[in-house]
Amino acid sequence: MTTTDAAPRGASRTPEAARALFADLTGRDPVGTWSAPGRVNLIGEHTDYNDGFVLPFAIEQRTVVALGLRSDARIRVASTLDAAPVEVAVSDLDGLFPTVGAHPAVPEWAAYPLGVAWALLQASGATDVTGVDLAIASDVPVGAGLSSSAAIEGATASALNDTWDLGLDRVALAQVGRRAENEAVGAPTGIMDQMASMLGRPDAAIFLDCRTLDANVIDLGFAAAGLELLVIDTGVKHAHSTGGYGERRASCERGAEIMGVTALRDLSVDDLTRAATVMDDITFRRVRHVVTENQRVLDTVHTLRDAGPLQIGALLDASHVSMRDDFEISVPELDSAVEAALSAGAIGARMTGGGFGGAAIALVDHEKATAVTDAVNAAFAAAGFTAPHIFTVSASAGAHRDA
Ligand code: ADP
Ligand code: MG
């Protein structure tokens, strides 16, 4: 249910936009449309690339790809977000990617769908595939921490996997999306977003072990408990490929190396006492965030199963404090959103996504959604911040063929 200033809902308009763009591009109708959702991460931030645990869910907002076949072996991509289509020969993909030094040889947005095509061919070993035109539209807010990147990857990967009859399963398609983002775009992200976008289910989150890729569906029970999840998009843009994300990853790798483990996933909260004595303060605080955050994900899963969603608030709050003080990836707008939401009665609140901007989430009783929204808006106005975009998300299905 929408409380205020809703994000546009994808159910009807986005497929139409993709089909209309396809018609503009080719003068024909597409053979089909595929879509994949954005995601919100309930808890488990910066744990994915540390082989740890995350608990995201797919949201209603989706990216849609309309696809048509060509008579040559070229691939052309167009998006409603960029006026200029980009076209390359399928046989040239190997020369374009992987991208050295994070500078795509094509406009950055086009490196997502073209990188997916490249990674799919790499993963499947296929070479002799038919050319395609892809027209892309989306209602996932871009750069807001809701993973428009995984949505464009998942929609493209699903469309090409079906069209080229490659037979890759959902986990393999998630890995293809990640490879495209890491090696074609040059953004060093983990696997969480792609797994959530591929595996999402209505009213449920995906409890993912990022080491084994074991995924379990966890019922959220938000509606039954009278709860909704507000997303507070601060409008502050982050840039994964250029921001502090890579630096945080490097700290985590350094911490794991000092502790003699493969990844921070292999440390428990008890190991932090020793960690504090063998590394510098900054590295230690980065490590402490990841280790305690992993434990909070496990605790959230148990709490949802045993006690229900009303009891997870303190875990969400502790996650935010850890990211603010130990991992240092929050910004004043996110802190303000969380503080205002909690003082207006939210059950729990935290920044979500990679940090340095993007969105916060607040779990709220349906009755209090308007009061929380008003309080956040008022806090932003008082601080002189640009007004946030506040809307409700609900857990939805993962990638699929639409038509
Ligand atoms: P987030 O995933 O949080 O939205 P990212 O920086 O990871 O932010 O990904 C956003 C980038 O993905 C955009 O800058 C653009 O390059 C690409 N992208 C996402 N959705 C689309 C789209 N519908 N059309 C074109 N490019 C897109
Ligand atoms: Mg992203």
Side-chain angles (χ1 to χ4, degrees):
M1 182 164 301
T2 301
T3 52
T4 179
D5 193 21
R9 290 303 161 99
S12 55
R13 285 195 297 274
T14 312
E16 267 169 33
R19 297 179 81 90
L21 179 63
F22 188 90
D24 282 352
L25 193 68
T26 65
R28 291 179 288 120
D29 284 333
V31 296
T33 60
W34 287 257
S35 68
R39 63 96 190 95
V40 71
N41 191 19
L42 188 59
I43 195 160
E45 223 65 76
H46 288 262
T47 46
D48 62 348
Y49 56 78
N50 289 296
D51 278 3
F53 305 109
V54 291
L55 190 63
F57 62 83
I59 59 177
E60 274 174 299
Q61 289 78 7
R62 303 178 79 84
T63 296
V64 179
V65 168
L67 177 147
L69 302 177
R70 296 171 61 106
S71 53
D72 58 15
R74 298 179 72 77
I75 175 164
R76 179 165 52 157
V77 294
S79 165
T80 53
L81 296 187
D82 195 291
V86 177
E87 185 179 319
V88 301
V90 172
S91 58
D92 285 345
L93 289 170
D94 261 347
L96 290 175
F97 306 120
T99 302
V100 180
H103 291 297
V106 293
E108 185 173 85
W109 75 266
Y112 289 84
L114 294 174
V116 163
W118 165 75
L120 263 179
L121 295 177
Q122 295 269 318
S124 64
T127 47
D128 186 21
V129 294
T130 172
V132 287
D133 288 312
L134 304 177
I136 300 164
S138 182
D139 65 359
V140 184
V142 170
L146 297 177
S147 208
S148 68
S149 54
I152 192 173
E153 290 154 12
T156 307
S158 301
L160 294 177
N161 185 49
D162 285 359
T163 303
W164 289 341
D165 202 15
L166 302 176
L168 271 62
D169 66 17
R170 283 172 181 270
V171 173
L173 293 180
Q175 287 168 315
V176 159
R178 181 196 182 174
R179 184 154 188 217
E181 190 153 344
N182 290 173
E183 297 182 31
V185 179
T189 58
I191 189 77
M192 165 174 73
D193 299 356
Q194 294 82 4
M195 289 289 279
S197 184
M198 292 306 306
L199 298 176
R201 297 270 191 90
D203 305 317
I206 306 298
F207 171 41
L208 176 67
D209 180 332
C210 296
R211 170 169 281 168
T212 62
L213 298 190
D214 274 351
N216 282 285
V217 176
I218 307 293
D219 286 336
L220 288 168
F222 286 173
L227 301 180
E228 54 186 85
L229 196 79
L230 291 182
V231 172
I232 304 156
D233 178 4
T234 64
V236 179
K237 298 289 177 207
H238 64 82
H240 269 178
S241 30
T242 53
Y245 187 93
E247 197 238 307
R248 295 302 184 282
R249 284 190 69 136
S251 290
C252 292
E253 281 163 24
R254 190 163 60 245
E257 198 186 323
I258 293 169
M259 291 298 283
V261 291
T262 308
L264 293 182
R265 145 65 175 282
D266 298 306
L267 299 180
S268 70
V269 173
D270 289 343
D271 293 318
L272 290 173
T273 318
R274 183 167 76 86
T277 66
V278 293
M279 58 187 76
D280 65 275
D281 178 59
I282 288 186
T283 308
F284 172 66
R285 287 188 289 117
R286 307 298 188 244
V287 167
R288 181 165 62 186
H289 165 69
V290 172
V291 172
T292 57
E293 185 79 352
N294 265 328
Q295 188 59 47
R296 283 187 288 271
V297 176
L298 298 174
D299 292 346
T300 302
V301 169
H302 293 140
T303 304
L304 282 169
R305 280 180 176 151
D306 300 341
L310 284 164
Q311 305 305 320
I312 68 171
L315 291 161
L316 302 181
D317 300 348
S319 171
H320 184 77
V321 169
S322 178
M323 285 188 281
R324 185 191 64 198
D325 298 346
D326 273 355
F327 222 58
E328 296 181 287
I329 53 171
S330 191
V331 294
E333 288 85 347
L334 289 167
D335 292 339
S336 175
V338 166
E339 273 159 39
L342 290 176
S343 28
I347 287 158
R350 57 183 285 273
M351 53 155 287
T352 184
F356 309 105
I361 54 173
L363 185 62
V364 299
D365 188 301
H366 176 63
E367 308 275 297
K368 290 199 173 140
T370 305
V372 169
T373 300
D374 291 348
V376 173
N377 279 322
F380 272 55
F385 300 149
T386 306
H389 182 216
I390 306 178
F391 54 98
T392 301
V393 288
S394 38
S396 301
H400 54 61
R401 183 170 185 160
D402 295 323

